Amino acid sequence: MPIKDVILRSCEEARAMLGIDEETVRIVHSSSADVLARRDELVSRALESLLKIERCSEALRRAGLDEAKAARLLNYLLGMVVQGGYDERHCLNVARLGLILLRSGAPAMIPFSVMMALATQTITALFGNITQVTAMVRAFAWHSLVAALGYELVR
């Protein structure tokens, strides 16, 4: 099966598994103005959390991303999250970014780390210190990272 078809099928499966329907996309889009108004703060905090971890910091450098380029990538990704159509084009663009990072030698955990850093900062900024929501996102993020590490080790 061509890689494009595999990616698109995976995106559809992810949407179904996560319950991302048109209403979910509408809700995400309705939050975009609030998120984008705080974009610089969110990106800065997410980047700071990523750079604290030597493995993430090194992987970003190996991918050719100094701090300014990494901030631009996070900025772009945050825009995609809150403004993307969650359609075929959006799916292929997100997958392309992941492939670029992995092709550069970044470990599989980096795309997860980047998205989870953005997610935790955005949720905290939008909803205040909602302890349970933030804790759950972090718990899911941890599981995703550990699963990616297992994948990386076997690969």
Side-chain angles (χ1 to χ4, degrees):
M1 178 181 293
I3 188 78
K4 179 180 176 182
D5 293 342
V6 171
I7 291 169
L8 292 174
R9 187 180 77 209
S10 296
C11 286
E12 285 303 315
E13 290 170 348
R15 272 187 71 137
M17 179 181 61
L18 297 170
I20 298 177
D21 55 15
E22 293 309 311
E23 178 64 8
T24 302
V25 174
R26 187 194 65 71
I27 292 168
V28 169
H29 287 173
S30 72
S31 301
S32 68
D34 292 334
V35 171
L36 296 178
R38 300 180 78 173
R39 182 181 238 166
D40 291 341
E41 168 195 352
L42 299 173
V43 166
S44 175
R45 287 183 179 172
L47 184 57
E48 182 181 326
S49 71
L50 288 168
L51 294 177
K52 285 180 184 176
I53 301 166
E54 187 176 329
R55 188 169 179 197
C56 287
S57 182
E58 177 58 30
L60 290 171
R61 273 195 295 278
R62 276 198 326 255
L65 299 172
D66 60 19
E67 197 167 324
K69 287 179 182 175
R72 283 196 300 274
L73 173 64
L74 291 175
N75 206 329
Y76 177 69
L77 286 171
L78 187 58
M80 286 178 67
V81 168
V82 298
Q83 295 176 317
Y86 293 82
D87 55 9
E88 183 175 306
R89 181 172 162 246
H90 187 192
C91 171
L92 293 173
N93 285 337
V94 173
R96 190 173 295 114
L97 286 171
L99 290 171
I100 289 168
L101 284 172
L102 293 175
R103 222 180 254 147
S104 71
M109 70 179 273
I110 293 303
F112 290 114
S113 300
V114 167
M115 294 311 298
M116 289 301 114
L118 283 171
T120 55
Q121 293 305 320
T122 301
I123 288 168
T124 301
L126 284 182
F127 305 109
N129 191 8
I130 300 178
T131 307
Q132 288 175 315
V133 172
T134 303
M136 289 303 293
V137 168
R138 288 180 178 150
F140 282 106
W142 182 86
H143 283 81
S144 296
L145 291 172
V146 173
L149 176 61
Y151 167 82
E152 177 102 2
L153 292 172
V154 171
R155 188 179 72 152

